[in-house]
Amino acid sequence: MGKKINIAIDGYSSSGKSSLARSISKEFKMKYIDTGAMYRSITYLLLKNSIDSSNFEESEKKIEQIINDCNIEYNYNNKKNISETILNGARCDEHIRKNYVSEFVSIVSKSKKVRDFMIAKQKEIASNKNIVMDGRDIGTVVIPDAEIKFFIEADLHVRAKRRFEQAQDESLTFNEVVENLKFRDNQDMMRENSPLKKAKDSIVLNNTNINFEELKNQAFNIIRKKNENHN
Ligand code: DC
């Protein structure tokens, strides 16, 4: 790649954003930042500090202190092709995809305090360029000047099937996954602070009826074209 660009990927939960971001990172040698993992790790940290959906609203001061005191680092392990989240010195990736975190994360990510903290971190990372970052507000708020913005869509039941197959909680039923996705879509779209929405200049890729290989090819072709014009 010649001149360095940033790529923002937004979309619904389990729409295929992270898989696409990982493939782009590998193919174009860009650094992948999974912002969902960032919100999940903060959620996990709050749960560890006895803050949950029952006391979240009244714990504002404590939340602020936990955020200010915590040290979160995000690395992308190119060899293993996975992102690694290090929370106060310890890897926490095995915990952050558990259902108890998934159920609480969209409540946590509504908080302005949490978002301001995360967005500042994400903007700083993106300022180094050559980043592919996925989330909900990347093209609209975090990197509004990204050279390429993708918005990924897929039918709810197609997404639920994927999430169900990847779920680490064996006790989880398919209907519970559908309900959790519906709940999270709703929270993501309706929240006051940086809600999930399409950036005006985003390219919509819908993968309800195409497989991942086709989705990847569509995205790669757009990136190659952009790079030709950008150099
Ligand atoms: O992509 P994911 O499912 O791992 O994201 C976890 C949660 O984090 C999701 O419910 C919405 C929230 N999130 C967000 O609000 N903003 C982002 N940029 C990324 C994720």
Side-chain angles (χ1 to χ4, degrees):
M1 194 180 285
K3 264 192 193 158
K4 288 182 175 167
I5 66 165
N6 280 336
I7 300 177
I9 306 182
D10 289 303
Y12 301 97
S13 295
S14 297
S15 57
K17 300 184 301 295
S18 311
S19 307
L20 181 63
R22 260 196 296 277
S23 302
I24 291 174
S25 149
K26 208 167 167 206
E27 178 74 14
F28 297 96
K29 306 208 170 14
M30 300 174 81
K31 190 170 177 188
Y32 169 43
I33 305 295
D34 174 355
T35 65
M38 297 173 94
Y39 286 96
R40 284 170 179 275
S41 56
I42 280 284
T43 304
Y44 172 65
L45 183 63
L46 295 180
L47 286 166
K48 269 181 49 157
N49 282 274
S50 308
I51 294 174
D52 57 27
S53 48
S54 70
N55 59 9
F56 185 72
E57 299 294 336
E58 69 260 29
S59 309
E60 212 178 313
K61 273 241 146 63
K62 197 171 166 198
I63 292 171
E64 196 173 355
Q65 196 183 343
I66 293 170
I67 290 175
N68 289 338
D69 292 348
C70 83
N71 182 2
I72 305 188
E73 287 168 53
Y74 302 90
N75 292 325
Y76 192 71
N77 185 325
N78 284 313
K79 264 198 189 140
K80 293 187 188 161
N81 203 22
I82 51 167
S83 53
E84 296 174 334
T85 315
I86 299 132
L87 196 57
N88 295 332
R91 284 272 313 271
C92 66
D93 300 280
E94 66 192 273
H95 304 287
I96 64 173
R97 316 249 161 231
K98 298 271 187 199
N99 202 39
Y100 65 91
V101 173
S102 300
E103 276 179 349
F104 185 35
V105 62
S106 48
I107 296 173
V108 172
S109 50
K110 275 199 303 192
S111 150
K112 184 164 169 14
K113 286 242 151 58
V114 172
R115 294 210 82 81
D116 286 350
F117 173 80
M118 288 298 176
I119 290 168
K121 254 186 190 299
Q122 292 156 4
K123 278 183 180 284
E124 191 192 318
I125 296 170
S127 68
N128 296 321
K129 286 275 186 182
N130 206 33
I131 301 290
V132 50
M133 191 180 279
D134 78 327
R136 305 294 189 286
D137 56 346
I138 310 305
T140 50
V141 175
V142 180
I143 338 178
D145 59 349
E147 284 75 5
I148 301 177
K149 298 178 189 178
F150 289 123
F151 192 90
I152 316 296
E153 292 181 335
D155 174 82
L156 173 68
H157 283 85
V158 170
R159 290 186 283 129
K161 192 166 173 278
R162 283 186 203 139
R163 174 62 55 121
F164 184 63
E165 282 160 5
Q166 289 163 6
Q168 292 174 2
D169 276 322
E170 279 162 19
S171 60
L172 210 60
T173 67
F174 180 71
N175 281 346
E176 282 168 339
V177 176
V178 171
E179 287 312 310
N180 178 258
L181 281 183
K182 266 197 219 165
F183 173 75
R184 292 211 285 143
D185 286 351
N186 197 44
Q187 297 275 326
D188 289 346
M189 288 185 294
M190 305 314 278
R191 70 171 169 241
E192 200 183 326
N193 301 307
S194 51
L196 168 66
K197 60 177 182 205
K198 284 174 203 158
K200 281 198 191 83
D201 50 351
S202 63
I203 300 161
V204 178
L205 301 177
N206 187 311
N207 70 75
T208 302
N209 297 313
I210 59 171
N211 63 26
F212 183 69
E213 214 42 40
E214 288 171 83
L215 175 74
K216 208 174 79 174
N217 286 339
Q218 286 182 10
F220 282 11
N221 286 338
I222 292 165
I223 298 167
R224 287 196 187 105
K225 231 184 195 154
K226 184 80 190 179
N227 281 334
E228 279 164 22
N229 298 335
H230 202 70
N231 290 332

